[in-house]
Every structure is written in C-alpha cells, then in structure tokens.
Amino acid sequence: MKYGVVAISALLLAVGCAPLPSSKQGDTGSADTESRGAPVGQGKSRYQFEQDGAPPQTLDPNMIADAQPRHEVLRVAGNISPYMVNGKEYRLVDQHRGFKERGIASWYGTKFHGHATSNGEIYSLYEMTAAHRTLPIPVYVKVTNLDNARTAIVRVNDRGPFHSDRIIDLSYAAAVKLGYAKRGTARVEIEVIDTDNTHAASREAARYYLQIAAFSQLTSANALQQKLSEGLAFPVVIASSSDRGSAMHRVRVGPFVDYYSAQAAKKVLQQQWSGESHLVVEAGDSSS
C-alpha cells in the first residue's frame, strides 16, 4: 500500500532507477543477508549492497498510509512448511486467526529493495510490508509500538527475521510510521487481522489439496488411492495430466475449503502416511 500520489511522484523523481545507497545509521535492518527471499548458492550473495540502511529521502510518517486488509488466497508460494534456514527448522503456525505476539521488531531497507520476497513479490522499502518466520503468506498484521503507542497495518509477504531476539521485520516505511526507524528496533505487539469477511462477495474461489505422490503409471496411483481411502475420512482423488504424450497421475487428498482445513487434515494424514505431503492450491483456472 503506497502512501499518496503526491509523495510517490516526488520519490520517483528523486530516486528514478538509480541504485539506493547503503547506510549504517542505527541498528537498522535484520542483517539476515542470504536468508531472505529466494535461496542463493553457498557463499554467494544476490544483493548489491553489503550493508543495509535507509534511503536518502526523508519520509513523513503522516503521509504513510496503512496497508488495506483484504481477503487473499493463501497459495503455495512462500508457505512451505517445514522449511530450513541456517540449519534450523521452522514450521508455520497451524492457526493464525487471533494470533498475537510481543517482542522486538526490526526493519529492512536499501539492501533488499528491488529483490524478490519469499513469495516472489518484489520488496519495496516504501510499501507497508513485513517479514515473519511462521505466519502464512500473505496475512495482514496490526503492529503497535509499545514505547509510543503508534500503530501500523502491514502485509506479511516475506520470511524473517532469523534472529532469536526479534519477532518481525518491517519495511522501512512501516518503521518510520511507527517512529523507530532511526533507533532501529522497537518493542511491539503484533496481531493478525481476520480478513475472512472482507469483500466476501469478490473472493476468489480456491481449492486446497494435499498432494501425496505422482506416478507415470495409473495402476500405481489407483493402488495408493485405494490404500489411503480405506483409513481416511477425507476424499482421495487422482489428478491426471499429459504433456507431449507423457502422462502423470497425482494422488491428492481433498479438496478442502481453506488453508486451515488442509493443515488439519495433514496432521491426520501423517498418522497413516509416512511420506511427506505438500500443499497444492487451485484457484479459478490456475494452480500453484
């Protein structure tokens, strides 16, 4: 959510397409370096700047608008669970409705500006976004600075911060709005905003599946389908496709009406199936 046509126009004139310089003012950013967004090779960096920092332009916190919560389909992108970072395993929360947490917030800026976030979107330090380790992507979060009572609403679309003493990384704009950009960190409370009833009439219908396995032979897929159907209360289906004469038959459990139903079914499935399932989301004519 950008913060006004006038402000954006001024920023575009000032920034253009030139690289953003680095800054070392304050305890800025998360210093998560290679742990954010798409993975990179061992010992290689995908970032232009070594240090994170603030842009040269001064932002007016009164001109920065909150992100506008709306219902969004929770797709596969950014929602792999469990996932590994720096040798540590992280699992997404089973239920984020009503989720609250208190701890330290940091922010990230110029180093990550223009690079892909964990769900493939492009990070902008001027937009009201955030990174969290275990909340599904995307969700909307109300953040309250406990030191000055300022609030902001951000959209979580990234993973991090991977520091044990921090619970959330906010965009630079969000940190300015909350009044801790110069300080670098702040004590905050975060609360997930329930968007299930937001713009209900315009929701995008989605179907959630747990994919178990894929076979080139239909007989193998049928055998697994029959085995799983005997002990599960959920539908077990086969999704077949053909590409250039090569057939693939995918065994899936579902469909489920939402992300949470699929996650709950995954726990039940794990009691019967030793293999690892992964989430598949079909929305409209596309799947992810």
Side-chain angles (χ1 to χ4, degrees):
M1 173 57 56
K2 300 176 179 61
Y3 49 90
V5 175
V6 175
I8 292 175
S9 300
L11 284 173
L12 291 176
L13 289 174
V15 178
C17 297
L20 291 168
S22 174
S23 170
K24 297 183 180 180
Q25 297 177 353
D27 182 22
T28 57
S30 70
D32 284 330
T33 59
E34 317 313 327
S35 300
R36 186 176 304 288
V40 295
Q42 185 69 27
K44 296 181 180 179
S45 175
R46 62 192 182 97
Y47 302 111
Q48 178 181 359
F49 302 118
E50 182 177 349
Q51 298 291 329
D52 196 10
Q57 295 78 20
T58 300
L59 304 186
D60 182 352
N62 298 316
M63 295 183 65
I64 302 175
D66 286 331
Q68 296 299 309
R70 62 185 180 89
H71 176 81
E72 295 189 54
V73 172
L74 297 180
R75 301 180 182 276
V76 175
N79 287 317
I80 301 301
S81 181
Y83 68 94
M84 299 283 292
V85 173
N86 297 330
K88 183 176 180 179
E89 182 179 278
Y90 298 89
R91 290 183 178 271
L92 303 191
V93 297
D94 292 329
Q95 176 61 266
H96 71 256
R97 293 189 184 99
F99 181 91
K100 289 185 179 182
E101 189 178 18
R102 284 194 174 195
I104 302 299
S106 49
W107 61 265
Y108 58 123
T110 54
K111 178 174 182 176
F112 306 95
H113 184 81
H115 290 274
T117 64
S118 294
N119 70 342
E121 297 175 355
I122 301 303
Y123 171 68
S124 170
L125 60 85
Y126 301 115
E127 294 186 356
M128 295 292 282
T129 60
H132 193 275
R133 291 188 290 268
T134 59
L135 285 174
I137 292 174
V139 294
Y140 292 83
V141 174
K142 178 183 177 181
V143 185
T144 301
N145 186 335
L146 298 176
D147 296 323
N148 59 19
R150 293 188 187 181
T151 63
I153 296 176
V154 297
R155 179 176 177 269
V156 176
N157 69 344
D158 208 355
R159 290 283 169 237
F162 297 106
H163 291 266
S164 59
D165 63 337
R166 302 177 188 179
I167 64 168
I168 194 168
D169 247 354
L170 301 184
S171 66
Y172 174 74
V176 170
K177 186 176 180 66
L178 287 171
Y180 75 90
K182 291 183 179 180
R183 180 179 175 184
T185 59
R187 296 186 311 115
V188 299
E189 178 179 82
I190 66 175
E191 179 179 2
V192 171
I193 298 172
D194 190 350
T195 59
D196 283 355
N197 297 318
T198 305
H199 305 300
S202 62
R203 279 192 192 178
E204 181 181 9
R207 298 178 299 277
Y208 293 78
Y209 296 87
L210 297 174
Q211 183 158 307
I212 308 300
F215 301 94
S216 58
Q217 298 295 322
L218 180 58
T219 54
S220 299
N222 285 331
L224 180 56
Q225 180 192 32
Q226 182 177 355
K227 178 182 177 181
L228 291 175
S229 296
E230 291 174 354
L232 284 177
F234 311 113
V236 182
V237 300
I238 297 176
S240 299
S241 62
S242 180
D243 183 18
R244 298 179 182 179
S246 178
M248 189 61 64
H249 309 282
R250 299 171 177 85
V251 180
R252 297 173 176 175
V253 178
F256 303 98
V257 296
D258 57 25
Y259 175 84
Y260 304 107
S261 300
Q263 293 302 101
K266 185 173 184 177
K267 289 186 176 182
V268 176
L269 178 64
Q270 288 172 341
Q271 299 174 9
Q272 183 176 333
W273 173 251
S274 59
E276 185 67 35
S277 62
H278 70 270
L279 185 67
V280 173
V281 182
E282 292 184 352
D285 295 328
S286 62
S287 62
S288 58

